[in-house]
Amino acid sequence: MSDPATRSSADEELEDLLRQWRNMQDAQPQPFFYSRVRARLVGEATGERQPLRTWLRWPSYAALLGIVLLLSGDGAALRSAEPVIHYQLDGGPPAPLPARR
């Protein structure tokens, strides 16, 4: 079990700390803080957005899309255009392919 003597001293320390916090003055912002914030907000609002930035990003988006499509495909871009020739193991002529039905 806990010792009641140590509990009362902990309670007293907590009460002292809370009393100190209640007696503290509220923090005040530095002089001209709000005027500086307002000036910065007005300056950002009047600045024009340049559409050039958006246009500069589009080629990189197109390149990224091309890479994703190339890597995620079924390999159709990597296939050879020449037909595959099947040779028999004994070195004879190619075996005929079965007809489709």
Side-chain angles (χ1 to χ4, degrees), residues 35-98:
S35 60
R36 287 183 292 174
V37 169
R38 185 174 292 120
R40 180 179 243 177
L41 290 174
V42 167
E44 289 177 359
T46 58
E48 295 180 21
R49 290 194 57 160
Q50 298 176 355
L52 184 61
R53 286 189 205 158
T54 304
W55 285 98
L56 287 176
R57 292 184 194 143
W58 286 15
S60 61
Y61 292 151
L64 182 63
L65 178 64
I67 291 171
V68 167
L69 291 176
L70 180 69
L71 295 177
S72 68
D74 60 352
L78 303 176
R79 289 189 187 142
S80 174
E82 298 176 15
V84 177
I85 300 175
H86 297 281
Y87 289 97
Q88 292 180 355
L89 294 177
D90 61 357
L97 296 174

